[in-house]
Amino acid sequence: MKEKKISIVIFPGSNCDRDLFVALEKCLGTKPEFIWHNCSHVKSTDMILIPGGFSFGDYLRAGTIATKSPAIKEVIRFSKRGVPIIGICNGFQILTECGLLEGALIKNSNQLFKCEKVNLKVINNKTIFTKNYKSSEIISLPIAHSQGNYFIESDNLKKIEDNDQIIFKYSSDFGDVTEKYNPNGSVNNIAGISNKKKNVIGLMPHPERAIENFHNGIDGIKFFKNLKDLI
Amino acid sequence: MIFRVYVNFKDGILDPEAEAIKQTIANMGLNSVKNLVKGKFFDIEVEDKKNYLSEIEKISKDLLANPIIENFKIVKK
């Protein structure tokens, strides 16, 4: 069987691309390929990841300028074919800005750059990305962002809730989803969502920064191992 | 010909920068300010071609403003 291909898109200003490469190689045993942002034709891929960082210096709005790069047209093309797409941190911002995911990520309500470990409650464990999690499982991952405040209009919030598109929420160790455990002001503590078809996911926390014993936790390993069936 | 595109947050979208500016004004001992909204503008010079207006609208809608959180207004200078 032909080995499947994982792709990581890099923009000027991405800075988690290598961490993501190491995490995927360690957890899935597959070397991903890098796609430079101005690549206008990707021959084939079985999964695309968009890493964290500050693409194009976060100019205009975080993620906006990246959405005009040729590689994003390819990401959209593959997403329509059902190829799994994952955006982490700035990758999540890019996916909302290009319209593959609903809502927007605005400045943290507390005006702080938040760099800390948070607990996440798995809200939907039926997606291709989360099916190995237990229902309401609590995982712990680091965040590092100043624009992770997820916003969506109330009508659309209801739609994504009804369609089970909310994947992760910020919570306590015991799964309490309350304002106290919301690090950035996100609507309803939302930390990660999917598109309607559930083949595109975006999350603010960084699983690739929680895979080594010297990291602050290793819950990222399970996040990536969940992707094993997809490649 | 120059067009100015104003972009600002829609009502109800929290702008921590505007809040901080408002707080700073209070810290300066000035007390008449009730509310403060921050925005940005872009001056775009165009050639006199027949499609310039539709292009400026596309630039505003698809790039300068995110319609989920921001309004924009195009004004001829």
Side-chain angles (χ1 to χ4, degrees):
Chain A
M1 197 174 80
K2 193 171 148 272
E3 194 177 338
K4 295 211 173 177
K5 199 191 276 180
I6 307 178
S7 309
I8 299 173
V9 187
I10 311 181
F11 300 89
S14 297
N15 64 14
C16 298
D17 40 289
R18 191 178 173 279
D19 288 12
L20 199 49
F21 181 98
V22 171
L24 290 161
E25 192 182 25
K26 178 186 164 103
C27 301
L28 300 175
T30 307
K31 268 193 200 308
E33 63 155 19
F34 287 121
I35 297 173
W36 183 233
H37 77 107
N38 58 11
C39 169
S40 56
H41 182 70
V42 177
K43 204 172 160 197
S44 72
T45 184
D46 299 290
M47 187 189 304
I48 303 176
L49 293 101
I50 307 182
F54 299 87
S55 57
F56 296 91
D58 274 356
Y59 291 169
L60 202 54
R61 291 179 304 278
T64 307
I65 298 193
T67 65
K68 309 304 172 201
S69 285
I72 284 295
K73 283 196 179 131
E74 291 298 274
V75 172
I76 293 170
R77 184 167 71 89
F78 281 102
S79 78
K80 285 183 179 154
R81 286 191 196 171
V83 168
I85 316 279
I86 301 172
I88 298 169
C89 196
N90 190 227
F92 185 11
Q93 294 162 338
I94 292 168
L95 290 175
T96 56
E97 279 284 341
C98 76
L100 279 181
L101 292 175
E102 288 160 86
L105 291 145
I106 58 177
K107 284 194 178 131
N108 295 351
S109 56
N110 46 32
Q111 307 169 31
L112 299 172
F113 185 98
K114 295 292 270 187
C115 185
E116 61 191 31
K117 193 160 126 173
V118 295
N119 291 307
L120 300 171
K121 185 174 187 172
V122 180
I123 303 297
N124 182 346
N125 69 336
K126 306 266 187 314
T127 73
I128 53 172
F129 306 102
T130 55
K131 62 182 184 306
N132 295 326
Y133 287 121
K134 291 193 224 50
S135 172
S136 299
E137 186 168 335
I138 309 298
I139 60 171
S140 179
L141 292 176
I143 54 166
H145 59 249
S146 63
Q147 297 186 55
N149 177 354
Y150 182 74
F151 171 81
I152 187 164
E153 285 170 48
S154 52
D155 292 356
N156 290 333
L157 174 64
K158 174 131 191 6
K159 278 186 203 156
I160 66 165
E161 276 172 344
D162 290 349
N163 196 37
D164 299 320
Q165 285 171 251
I166 298 168
I167 309 299
F168 299 112
K169 283 187 177 182
Y170 301 106
S171 78
S172 72
D173 297 357
F174 303 105
D176 304 320
V177 177
T178 57
E179 189 55 38
K180 190 179 169 190
Y181 303 103
N182 187 340
N184 52 27
S186 290
V187 170
N188 288 4
N189 287 38
I190 291 172
I193 60 161
S194 76
N195 64 342
K196 211 170 172 184
K197 270 169 65 183
K198 315 272 186 342
N199 69 312
V200 180
I201 188 179
L203 68 161
M204 285 314 294
H206 287 274
E208 78 283 8
R209 295 188 189 179
I211 59 153
E212 305 283 358
N213 288 328
F214 57 81
H215 284 159
N216 190 4
I218 52 164
D219 281 2
I221 295 174
K222 189 165 178 184
F223 178 89
F224 291 109
K225 287 202 166 167
N226 283 345
L227 311 175
K228 186 76 191 168
D229 306 350
L230 303 177
I231 51 131
Chain B
M1 202 166 0
I2 298 174
F3 287 85
R4 180 166 282 185
V5 182
Y6 291 92
V7 176
N8 69 321
F9 282 121
K10 288 182 173 176
D11 286 347
I13 303 289
L14 180 73
D15 182 355
E17 250 180 80
E19 285 298 314
I21 294 165
K22 194 177 144 196
Q23 185 57 48
T24 303
I25 293 169
N27 294 348
M28 289 163 73
L30 308 172
N31 57 17
S32 63
V33 176
K34 254 170 68 181
N35 195 23
L36 183 144
V37 175
K38 185 182 103 315
K40 50 193 167 186
F41 68 79
F42 305 84
D43 283 342
I44 306 175
E45 189 171 358
V46 290
E47 286 181 41
D48 194 7
K49 290 181 180 169
K50 66 175 192 294
N51 60 341
Y52 64 78
L53 206 53
S54 65
E55 286 203 4
I56 289 172
E57 273 172 17
K58 188 170 168 54
I59 291 164
S60 304
K61 187 166 65 70
D62 294 352
L63 180 66
L64 302 180
N66 177 344
I68 297 171
I69 51 172
E70 292 168 319
N71 293 316
F72 67 87
K73 189 169 76 176
I74 301 166
V75 177
K76 191 174 179 206
K77 271 190 85 183

